[in-house]
Amino acid sequence: MIDEKFMQAAIEEAKKARALDEVPIGAVIVYRDEIIARGYNLRESSQTTLSHAEMIAIQQANEKMGSWRLEECTLYVTLEPCPMCAGAIVQSRFKRVVFGASDPKAGCAGTLMNLLDEPRFNHQVKVTRNILKEECGALLTDFFRELRIRKKRP
């Protein structure tokens, strides 16, 4: 039940991205059952590669904790992390990552590969998949359906 509660908070972040016509991906970081950081995708608005939901939330969590180490934190994200975000997650030493929808094109938490549980790295992250999967997936499906319709209009 706790995973669903925090994933719902990540979904609310994704909806903020959607309201800005961004790909609706949201993330929250939890420390001792409290949300300490939030982020949503801002790549189109900022035109910066690093503006993924996870990266924004990680930066906020670093500031809140006063450390680059987020060892006792859990990251909740609506879409499976990409290679860039998975690398940042490992480097941040997260205890756990929970994601909603799998990403067949860039998922690096078990779909294409699992960088979070790579034994050659000096840190591994526990992964929980498919929390509120349908709701997270629908946000993306609906967004891209609407985008295709808009592109067809004169």
Side-chain angles (χ1 to χ4, degrees), residues 125-149:
V125 182
K126 183 179 180 206
V127 177
T128 302
R129 300 165 176 79
N130 303 323
I131 301 299
L132 301 181
K133 174 184 176 178
E134 290 76 20
E135 191 171 349
C136 292
L139 285 169
L140 292 158
T141 302
D142 294 348
F143 173 80
F144 286 112
R145 182 182 308 118
E146 291 170 19
L147 186 63
R148 286 189 298 276
I149 291 168

Side-chain angles (χ1 to χ4, degrees), residues 12-131:
E12 292 307 312
E13 293 301 308
K15 289 177 181 177
K16 292 176 185 176
R18 176 66 187 95
L20 298 173
D21 212 24
E22 293 276 0
V23 177
I25 302 168
V28 298
I29 296 175
V30 174
Y31 175 70
R32 296 185 178 167
D33 294 326
E34 178 186 335
I35 295 173
I36 62 163
R38 299 171 183 270
Y40 53 89
N41 189 33
L42 286 171
R43 196 163 58 168
E44 293 301 322
S45 300
S46 69
Q47 288 297 302
T48 59
T49 305
L50 301 177
S51 294
H52 286 200
E54 299 98 318
M55 301 297 275
I56 292 167
I58 288 169
Q59 182 67 37
Q60 283 182 15
N62 291 150
E63 291 169 13
K64 173 85 173 179
M65 299 295 283
S67 176
W68 63 269
R69 293 178 181 269
L70 301 174
E71 296 166 317
E72 297 303 315
C73 296
T74 299
L75 170 71
Y76 290 83
V77 62
T78 56
L79 182 66
E80 181 179 4
C82 72
M84 174 181 71
C85 294
I89 290 163
V90 170
Q91 290 297 311
S92 299
R93 308 293 196 266
F94 275 92
K95 181 179 182 176
R96 184 167 167 245
V97 168
V98 180
F99 71 84
S102 295
D103 185 350
K105 294 182 179 179
C108 284
T111 298
L112 297 180
M113 64 185 66
N114 192 345
L115 292 176
L116 302 180
D117 193 30
E118 172 55 54
R120 293 173 291 183
F121 290 147
N122 65 341
H123 181 77
Q124 290 76 42
V125 182
K126 183 179 180 206
V127 177
T128 302
R129 300 165 176 79
N130 303 323
I131 301 299

